[in-house]
DNA sequence: CGTCTTTTTGACTACTGTCAAGCGCTGTGG
DNA sequence: CCACAGCGCTTGACAGTAGTCAAAAAGACG
């Protein structure tokens, strides 16, 4: 039973936070951080498959993903689903406020919850924080633009390859590692929903990439055998991942 | 020759700016605005088809579109193009900084240019401005997510319909107007590049929508005959357009 | 009016989706 | 420790949507 599994790691004191360098609060000094630690309302633990943020809930809170993966999605009236942002540790969830899409956990996950009114108060007082906030959203825009290019102008094999490169790179300081095991918890159905493909076709694309000896994806683990060749095949360039200042 | 055509309107004094209610500086008082007017470095005039922002130029400047339309795009190694954000008057261009995609003018356009370092200084001093900036970036995020859903999960007719609804709504305070002429300067080739379709297929989709008496698009002018029915057909909901505070 | 761009239409190709069935791993219960 | 149940992954056959190529019609501009 899922309940038996070890829970995801709980966040500790903010000033020791291992994901802070990636997250909203990176520009703050330790002293400022201590102030926030008081402010941080709660921690949220979510199991794989459960809702991290429900429709509309974003009007009240913002979360920082501490451990685990999650994704935002939208369901069209005919039932088809499109996955938008894919969140990894350090990412900010719910930045769009009331207009935020619902978010679901891919793996068991733990998150730091911030009330939106408090966040707003903090942003009003700390311009550096507001700028950091904007930068995170700007980065998210860069990722969305890249995926838009995928859905619009890449075929199935290239889409799958480009997403694997991106997710591997985001777990490896921006560089897709060669011949190393990389966690890849997304199911093929979810990959399909993220890439605008059917799950079956994702499978066929993965088979092609495996046959070409470019990558292997088995039991939630990805291995890139030749990231450079894969990037060439997919027309993928890591530039959009850079932490380039949005302002 | 294009040069003969009347130039686009030049922006006047900031405090009288007609697009300010939509733009970055909306939260500022008239007094604060006067300070900025001094700061505003230049105005840029661009003709239809020319570059508004070149690759990498975003590292140095940010622009506010004053008049005309523009779009950001990305070119894949095989030459295919994907249009990302579509900019209308009041929109902020280049918010992603160095990572911004190149931007091209759809029509003749005029823009207010802000040096990035000055903008940064302003944001640091005016928290309201920093929050406004973050909100604009968050709104752009919402538009990108919606288009991602289009490319991933809507068929050609729905994609074209949804984009027409969005662009009509954005020119009409968020509501797609019924039976009114709406400017729609994008060529079918550009619509295709925005929607991940070939220009020919865009044309077929438009023909279908015309046949169904849902809309007419002729000589750069769009007319929605039944926005409600069109929205139903496309699974389109205007919620994502709302100016809902991102923070 | 002549030229160039944009739009339209048609025929054919190809990629991707859908439906269906079989396989396999993982975790559960005996 | 082994059989079973479920979910996820694979594979195949076929259908349908969209792309490509080609050419003509319709506008836009000088």
């Amino acid at each position: 039973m899922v309940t038996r599994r070890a829970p995801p790691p709980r966040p500790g004191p903010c000033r020791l936070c291992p994901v802070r360098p990636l997250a909203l609060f990176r520009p703050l000094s330790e002293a400022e951080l201590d102030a926030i630690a008081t402010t941080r309302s709660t921690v949220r633990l979510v199991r794989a498959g459960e809702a991290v943020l429900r429709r509309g809930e974003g009007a009240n809170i913002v979360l920082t993903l501490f451990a685990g993966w999650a994704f935002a999605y939208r369901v069209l009236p005919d039932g088809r689903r499109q996955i938008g942002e894919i969140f990894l540790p350090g990412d900010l969830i719910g930045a769009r406020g009331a207009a935020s899409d619902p978010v679901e956990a891919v793996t068991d996950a733990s998150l730091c919850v911030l009330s939106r009114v408090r966040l707003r108060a903090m942003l009003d007082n700390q311009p550096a924080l507001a700028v950091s906030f904007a930068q995170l959203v700007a980065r998210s825009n860069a990722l969305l633009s890249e995926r838009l290019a995928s859905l619009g102008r890449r075929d199935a094999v290239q889409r799958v390859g480009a997403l694997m490169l991106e997710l591997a790179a985001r777990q490896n300081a921006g560089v897709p590692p060669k011949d190393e095991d990389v966690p890849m918890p997304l199911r093929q159905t979810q990959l399909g929903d993220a890439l605008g493909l059917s799950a079956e076709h994702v499978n066929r694309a993965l088979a092609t990439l495996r046959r070409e000896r470019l990558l292997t994806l088995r039991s939630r683990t990805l291995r890139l055998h030749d990231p450079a060749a894969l990037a060439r095949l997919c027309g993928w360039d890591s530039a959009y991942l850079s932490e380039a200042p949005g302002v």
Side-chain angles (χ1 to χ4, degrees), chain A:
Chain A
M1 240 199 17
V2 167
T3 21
R4 298 278 173 66
R5 280 213 314 265
R10 281 182 87 90
C14 290
R15 64 155 57 190
L16 300 179
C17 180
V19 304
R20 183 161 62 93
L22 309 167
L24 179 61
F25 297 114
R26 74 205 137 158
L28 296 194
S29 71
E30 305 254 313
E32 292 164 329
L33 261 190
D34 286 341
I36 286 161
T38 327
T39 304
R40 191 178 70 194
S41 33
T42 36
V43 165
R44 186 174 282 199
L45 299 178
V46 179
R47 295 230 187 65
E50 290 183 346
V52 166
L53 187 69
R54 293 169 201 288
R55 183 142 192 68
E57 198 183 12
N60 307 316
I61 57 172
V62 183
L63 306 101
T64 296
L65 184 54
F66 176 75
W69 288 33
F71 59 80
Y73 64 95
R74 183 174 304 214
V75 180
L76 294 181
D78 66 0
R80 291 188 296 184
R81 179 169 82 161
Q82 177 64 43
I83 289 180
E85 297 167 278
I86 297 174
F87 301 107
L88 270 57
D91 288 345
L92 187 67
I93 297 179
R96 294 213 308 262
S100 290
D101 292 327
V103 175
E104 176 180 318
V106 177
T107 65
D108 291 353
S110 57
L111 307 99
C112 297
V113 184
L114 286 163
S115 110
R116 189 164 284 275
V117 295
R118 278 191 204 168
L119 173 64
R120 178 57 192 259
M122 283 192 275
L123 298 189
D124 285 339
N125 294 323
Q126 311 242 12
L129 210 54
V131 169
S132 171
F133 182 92
Q135 286 174 350
L136 286 181
V137 181
R139 180 184 147 93
S140 162
N141 283 357
L143 301 189
L144 285 173
S145 291
E146 172 68 14
R147 201 113 63 72
L148 197 68
S150 256
L151 300 219
R153 294 305 188 203
R154 289 200 252 249
D155 67 24
V157 170
Q158 294 175 316
R159 280 184 221 183
V160 171
L163 185 59
M164 293 301 104
L165 284 164
E166 172 180 320
L167 293 173
R170 286 171 64 187
Q171 293 178 77
N172 194 234
V175 181
K178 178 176 162 64
D179 279 322
E180 277 175 36
D181 281 350
V182 178
M184 181 56 56
L186 291 165
R187 318 256 178 278
Q188 293 184 4
T189 305
Q190 294 165 337
L191 291 175
D193 285 342
L195 295 171
L197 298 168
S198 65
E200 295 92 329
H201 211 66
V202 168
N203 187 285
R204 287 186 262 261
L206 284 169
T208 301
L209 291 167
R210 199 178 313 135
R211 201 176 323 115
E212 306 279 344
R213 298 189 202 296
L214 290 169
L215 61 77
T216 323
L217 177 53
R218 279 188 47 229
S219 44
R220 313 291 112 81
T221 303
L222 170 68
R223 197 154 202 166
L224 302 172
H225 301 125
D226 191 344
L230 182 58
R232 219 174 311 119
L233 172 70
C234 301
W236 188 82
D237 178 346
S238 67
Y240 72 100
L241 286 174
S242 77
E243 295 282 349
V247 185

